[in-house]
Amino acid sequence: RISTQIQVKNQAEGLGRSYTDLADDATAAWWNPAGLGFLANNNLSMMHTQLVPNLASDVFFEYLSFTHHYEGWGGLGLSVAYLSYGLNQATDENGTIIKEFTSYEVVPAVTYGTKLTPNVGLGVGLKYISVNLAPNDVLPSGGGGAGHSFAADMGVLAHVRETQGKMLPKLNLAAVLVNLGPNIAFIDETQSDPLARTVRLGVGGQLYNAAPVTVNMSFDYNYSLLQGHDKIFGGGLALNYNNLFSLRGGYYADKTG
């Protein structure tokens, strides 16, 4: 569903919607659960975005994620995504409004990541997907306005290079399988919709490090497991000066839209 496909983290948006290979904060629960194995202490991430700000203020997306590090075990994350389609109206055959309701999606998830070796992490996430388009009592069939499913994400993250040099001191490789689960049905299984099952590959890290300047990079390749096998590529660079100023530039290519 749409709520499982909206990318979180504004820095990732500036990097061409790529962050699978970095996954270095609480949003690792979305980008790559293996990143939780490398996180220390507690991490919190919150996001709110208006999807069509000039058209409807009640159409928005929110994301909240919290992760906690357990020494010797890894990281555990709890997150929830909420997508509001806004206020809708149900009318009778005469056009009279009989009920107002909000259409929405909500996706709570639990995520776990740990280190297999000092440089390789493995993670898994489980999520429940609830899509509520309309209450059953306003539909002619008396049902079919809501659908539910569950899905799993699995990821691996490898820090393949970590040196003290200036050029390419850090290099990461990542792979993630997302939204692996049964179709979501509103009326019956013959009319069910597939989840956005996708393989995502990432490469990135730190391209340059000479205080006070660092340059990070991130590149993602998305391959849909659904019919048509849509392919999406995104990536970019981020220049940081003394942790006070950042400049990001990215490229994003989605031929099918």
Side-chain angles (χ1 to χ4, degrees):
R1 304 309 296 172
I2 296 175
S3 57
T4 64
Q5 301 176 67
I6 298 176
Q7 290 90 350
V8 301
K9 193 174 179 66
N10 59 351
Q11 290 93 331
E13 191 75 16
L15 291 170
R17 299 181 180 178
S18 64
Y19 214 73
T20 303
D21 54 272
L22 297 178
D24 56 4
D25 59 17
T27 62
W30 192 97
W31 287 101
N32 187 346
L36 272 67
F38 296 94
L39 298 182
N41 304 316
N42 297 326
N43 295 268
L44 178 67
S45 178
M46 295 180 288
M47 172 182 170
H48 172 85
T49 181
Q50 298 290 142
L51 299 180
V52 284
N54 297 322
L55 297 176
S57 61
D58 56 355
V59 179
F60 58 86
F61 175 77
E62 293 178 330
Y63 180 79
L64 174 65
S65 178
F66 173 78
T67 66
H68 178 75
H69 175 74
Y70 293 91
E71 190 65 33
W73 291 92
L76 181 68
L78 299 175
S79 63
V80 61
Y82 178 81
L83 172 62
S84 170
Y85 290 106
L87 185 66
N88 295 292
Q89 297 176 335
T91 60
D92 60 18
E93 60 274 11
N94 298 317
T96 302
I97 298 175
I98 58 175
K99 191 171 188 176
E100 292 187 333
F101 58 91
T102 298
S103 301
Y104 66 93
E105 299 181 17
V106 61
V107 183
V110 58
T111 313
Y112 174 74
T114 188
K115 291 182 182 179
L116 297 181
T117 73
N119 295 318
V120 177
L122 184 69
V124 62
L126 299 175
K127 51 193 170 186
Y128 175 73
I129 302 168
S130 177
V131 181
N132 298 271
L133 300 179
N136 291 335
D137 59 357
V138 302
L139 299 173
S141 62
H148 310 278
S149 186
F150 59 90
D153 299 340
M154 295 178 288
V156 60
L157 177 61
H159 295 175
V160 297
R161 178 180 171 89
E162 291 188 344
T163 71
Q164 299 299 318
K166 292 183 179 180
M167 297 301 300
L168 199 62
K170 297 180 181 180
L171 180 64
N172 303 335
L173 299 177
V176 184
L177 287 168
V178 299
N179 298 320
L180 303 179
N183 291 359
I184 186 167
F186 294 91
I187 299 177
D188 57 58
E189 292 298 329
T190 62
Q191 304 180 62
S192 62
D193 297 323
L195 303 181
R197 306 177 189 108
T198 304
V199 176
R200 193 164 60 237
L201 305 176
V203 58
Q206 200 165 69
L207 184 64
Y208 179 79
N209 183 11
V213 176
T214 60
V215 179
N216 294 328
M217 61 178 181
S218 181
F219 301 93
D220 276 9
Y221 174 77
N222 296 264
Y223 180 81
S224 173
L225 298 179
L226 303 182
Q227 185 177 3
H229 301 296
D230 295 339
K231 305 172 185 64
I232 301 174
F233 172 80
L237 301 175
L239 183 148
N240 183 282
Y241 179 80
N242 204 34
N243 290 325
L244 296 175
F245 172 81
S246 292
L247 179 66
R248 301 180 185 90
Y251 174 79
Y252 182 80
D254 180 3
K255 293 184 179 180
T256 59

